[in-house]
Amino acid sequence: AAAAAAAAAAAAAAAATTHSRTSARRRCLTACQRTMPARSSASGKRGTPFQERVYAALSERVPRGKVTTYLALAAAVGCKSPRAIGQALRRNPRAPIVPCHRVVNTRRALHGFGGKTDTAALRRKRRLLADEGVRFDADGRVRVDCVLTMLRAR
């Protein structure tokens, strides 16, 4: 009976932890993406203020031939959620002017492009990066010398 009670308590604690992480992630995403989109008169395509901060940081701080990570870009715009960065980039209305292809995951692997993770999208992302001078290792990951992990503050 004691073992069953301990197992039930452990299962309840695990479920609470998972729920807590999910709730925290949802709160962060909501806080980062709280405002409604503003419209630009020139192009008619603008994102939320959070998305515009992401696009500006990426455009200003990551030059051709370099990439950054979702985590580093999140830190640069003051957001704790790399997933929120990915969501903003997948909604980028001005690609490739805003170079969302210059963001990779923390393992330096190409993950998604334009909201897609299929082979064709990843090939296009790799081609864009290679055309800009980004080099890849034998495993297909971006070489360490091409990754900016700490973006300078503005």
Side-chain angles (χ1 to χ4, degrees), residues 70 100-101 103 105 109-118 121-122 125:
Y70 296 100
C100 55
H101 59 281
V103 184
N105 67 26
L110 306 184
H111 183 275
F113 183 61
K116 299 177 179 144
T117 56
D118 60 39
L122 296 179
K125 183 173 185 171

Side-chain angles (χ1 to χ4, degrees), residues 13-73:
T17 302
T18 301
H19 176 71
S20 174
R21 275 187 262 148
T22 302
S23 296
R25 183 179 305 131
R26 190 174 298 123
R27 279 193 306 273
C28 186
L29 286 171
T30 302
C32 291
Q33 299 174 330
R34 183 166 289 155
T35 54
M36 294 299 293
R39 288 283 171 200
S40 165
S41 58
S43 68
K45 294 183 176 182
R46 269 183 76 107
T48 65
F50 168 72
Q51 290 168 339
E52 292 301 318
R53 280 196 339 260
V54 172
Y55 304 154
L58 179 59
S59 298
E60 295 168 3
R61 301 178 193 178
V62 184
R64 290 176 60 89
K66 298 289 183 182
V67 299
T68 191
T69 65
Y70 296 100
L71 184 63
L73 191 53

Side-chain angles (χ1 to χ4, degrees), residues 56-136:
L58 179 59
S59 298
E60 295 168 3
R61 301 178 193 178
V62 184
R64 290 176 60 89
K66 298 289 183 182
V67 299
T68 191
T69 65
Y70 296 100
L71 184 63
L73 191 53
V77 298
C79 180
K80 295 179 182 177
S81 174
R83 288 178 185 229
I85 300 301
Q87 290 300 313
L89 294 177
R90 95 183 280 230
R91 291 175 175 84
N92 178 7
R94 297 185 303 272
I97 295 166
V98 174
C100 55
H101 59 281
R102 294 184 191 158
V103 184
V104 297
N105 67 26
T106 54
R107 293 181 302 274
R108 304 182 335 266
L110 306 184
H111 183 275
F113 183 61
K116 299 177 179 144
T117 56
D118 60 39
T119 305
L122 296 179
R123 267 197 309 261
R124 182 168 181 232
K125 183 173 185 171
R126 183 181 173 108
R127 186 174 53 249
L128 285 168
L129 291 172
D131 289 347
E132 291 183 352
V134 173
R135 294 179 309 276
F136 296 87

